[in-house]
Each structure stands twice: as structure tokens, then as C-alpha cells.
Amino acid sequence: TMPKEPAVLRQNILDTTAAILACGIDPKKCFLFRQSLVPEHAELAWILGCLTTVPRLLRLPQWKMKRASQNNGGTVGLLTYPVLQAADILLYKSTHVPVGEDQVLHLELAQDIAQHFNKKYGEFFPVPKAILSEL
């Protein structure tokens, strides 16, 4: 949600890919892709954003904490990032999502959005369940 220098962003993408592969992810057994090259993520985020209220987003503690750390009081990208996360989850009709405690509320937003969408348009998205990681 913060502007990055293009060269730094490209290097971060390569570094993250290398870290994923170093963790043992086998590209022969799974799909590895750069999310920003899949326009459906942003397209679904727009649709879901049209179903999500601003007061709902303003209640998220992460928004309050991160907004306080930004000099400009928070960007629209920061505010709507949880909707993009919901789109990332729902686009693939995920049924279970591994999350840490700090992301439970964002997953609950994805669940709420899925339920709201399904109620309005018919059963389409599974309501994803959390798989809490234990550290």
C-alpha cells in the first residue's frame, strides 16, 4: 500500500520467489505465479468493494494501527487492502486458509463478504475457514 521504487519492487519479487522455492515448494506440484499479473484479483476486489461498507473497514484494528503510522492519515489502498485479501481468497473458492492470529479479523471479513455475496446473488463462494498456525 506504499509506493515502491520499480527496481526495488522487481528485486523483492525475485527474492520472495527464491524464498518460496528454498522452503521446498515444488513448482512441478503447484502453481507459482505473480498475483499482480492476474487481473481477476483486482476485478473481484472492485466488485467486493462495492458490497463492503466503509464503516466495516474502519473498525478493523489493523487500519487504525497502520493509519496512525502513516503521515498522511492513511491511504485508500490501506483502507481497502482487506477487501483485496478477501478477493485473493474467494477468487479461488478457498475453503480453508492458513492464518496467524493477526489475520483472523481479515479472514472474518472475507467470510462476511462471501456470505453477503451468496445471500444477494446465490451460493457461489464457499465461506472459508481459518487454519490457525501455531508458533
Side-chain angles (χ1 to χ4, degrees):
T1 59
M2 298 298 294
K4 301 264 190 276
E5 291 294 323
V8 172
L9 181 58
R10 280 190 290 279
Q11 188 60 50
N12 287 347
I13 291 167
L14 293 174
D15 292 347
T16 300
T17 303
I20 290 169
L21 293 172
C23 287
I25 297 295
D26 184 351
K28 293 177 185 160
K29 295 182 179 180
C30 67
F31 293 105
L32 188 59
F33 62 94
R34 197 166 86 199
Q35 175 184 323
S36 60
L37 295 178
V38 181
E40 289 83 359
H41 285 269
E43 292 167 359
L44 183 57
W46 173 259
I47 292 167
L48 300 180
C50 291
L51 298 173
T52 306
T53 67
V54 171
R56 176 70 168 94
L57 295 175
L58 290 174
R59 285 194 302 269
L60 293 171
Q62 289 89 342
W63 159 255
K64 294 174 186 174
M65 290 184 311
K66 289 187 178 184
R67 182 188 65 190
S69 70
Q70 290 187 357
N71 293 335
N72 58 6
T75 63
V76 171
L78 180 62
L79 179 64
T80 60
Y81 187 72
V83 178
L84 177 61
Q85 286 180 311
D88 296 342
I89 293 165
L90 299 176
L91 182 64
Y92 299 98
K93 296 191 171 184
S94 303
T95 58
H96 294 78
V97 180
V99 295
E101 284 291 333
D102 63 328
Q103 292 297 310
V104 168
L105 292 176
H106 286 180
L107 183 59
E108 288 176 2
L109 177 67
Q111 293 167 335
D112 292 348
I113 291 172
Q115 290 168 341
H116 180 70
F117 187 97
N118 291 343
K119 184 177 179 183
K120 188 170 183 85
Y121 299 108
E123 289 297 316
F124 187 76
F125 292 117
V127 177
K129 293 178 176 51
I131 300 173
L132 289 171
S133 58
E134 294 183 26
L135 297 176

